[in-house]
Amino acid sequence: MTFSNRLLVFTIFISSFLFFFINKAYSIDSEKLKKEVVFYADKLESLSKDTFILQNKVLLIYQDFTLEADYVFLDFKNSKLKAKGNIRAINTDVSIRADELELDLSLEFVKVKKAEVNLNNKIEFKAKEIFVLKSYYNIEGFEFKDKDPRIILNYSLSIDKLRIFPFYN
């Protein structure tokens, strides 16, 4: 497969990742969510009945999503989550390591800083920042290295800014 063909396949794969992993927008029932989210931390501070600060060895589990971090601010009423420090987020076959993660719980807004993304243990890429707003994606400092052992000539790709806009019929 030529470099341009592999780049096209990779671009389609990244678009699929962004569509399926990040853009799963759905309505949030905060009371139901509070009952379904399981979290643990060495230190837990309740700011209100809907707002929590979790610190040190934070583990948060919701359906097929697992989050580990040093610090998490969780606001069920406003459907917001902010995490900092040694972040590891896993959703089915996608895992992300990052320094910072901010999102609304409907996943219409996601911001990740200093991300290392692994897709199905086959493709890895890094980004200084990933920003998603509904169906608009902005990835800054994008780095990809082809590590397929079956291919003799591997390649790498660095892009300062990668923007993906939705196309509607």
Side-chain angles (χ1 to χ4, degrees):
M1 189 180 319
T2 67
F3 174 77
S4 60
N5 288 345
R6 292 189 69 175
L7 183 58
L8 177 62
V9 168
F10 173 72
T11 303
I12 292 168
F13 190 82
I14 291 300
S15 300
S16 299
F17 155 75
L18 292 171
F19 180 77
F20 290 112
F21 178 65
I22 296 176
N23 196 28
K24 291 183 178 178
Y26 51 90
S27 63
I28 295 292
D29 177 355
S30 65
E31 290 303 315
K32 182 180 177 194
L33 187 64
K34 279 196 296 187
K35 293 176 185 172
E36 293 181 6
V37 171
V38 176
F39 53 82
Y40 167 84
D42 285 346
K43 183 179 177 187
L44 170 67
E45 183 179 349
S46 177
L47 302 178
S48 72
K49 68 177 186 158
D50 294 318
T51 309
F52 302 92
I53 294 177
L54 301 99
Q55 296 180 50
N56 302 330
K57 298 180 185 175
V58 177
L59 175 64
L60 185 139
I61 301 169
Y62 175 67
Q63 295 176 351
D64 63 349
F65 177 76
T66 302
L67 175 70
E68 298 172 2
D70 292 335
Y71 169 93
V72 172
F73 173 82
L74 185 57
D75 182 351
F76 288 108
K77 183 177 181 182
N78 296 309
S79 298
K80 302 226 181 274
L81 181 143
K82 292 181 184 180
K84 292 183 180 181
N86 298 309
I87 296 169
R88 187 167 160 239
I90 301 169
N91 188 356
T92 57
D93 293 332
V94 179
S95 69
I96 297 175
R97 290 189 178 275
D99 286 349
E100 293 182 32
L101 170 68
E102 183 177 351
L103 54 87
D104 69 0
L105 299 176
S106 66
L107 296 177
E108 288 191 356
F109 166 80
V110 178
K111 187 174 186 179
V112 185
K113 290 189 177 181
K114 292 188 179 177
E116 294 178 14
V117 180
N118 182 309
L119 309 168
N120 295 320
N121 290 321
K122 293 180 182 174
I123 294 181
E124 296 178 357
F125 70 89
K126 294 180 181 181
K128 290 180 184 173
E129 182 174 287
I130 300 172
F131 176 77
V132 179
L133 183 59
K134 295 195 178 188
S135 296
Y136 166 76
Y137 310 100
N138 185 59
I139 303 175
E140 293 189 14
F142 178 81
E143 293 179 23
F144 169 75
K145 292 184 181 171
D146 184 7
K147 296 181 179 179
D148 188 343
R150 299 171 295 165
I151 306 299
I152 295 171
L153 179 62
N154 292 332
Y155 63 93
S156 63
L157 176 67
S158 294
I159 301 173
D160 288 336
K161 288 190 178 192
L162 174 63
R163 292 188 175 142
I164 301 171
F165 298 91
F167 292 98
Y168 298 104
N169 292 337

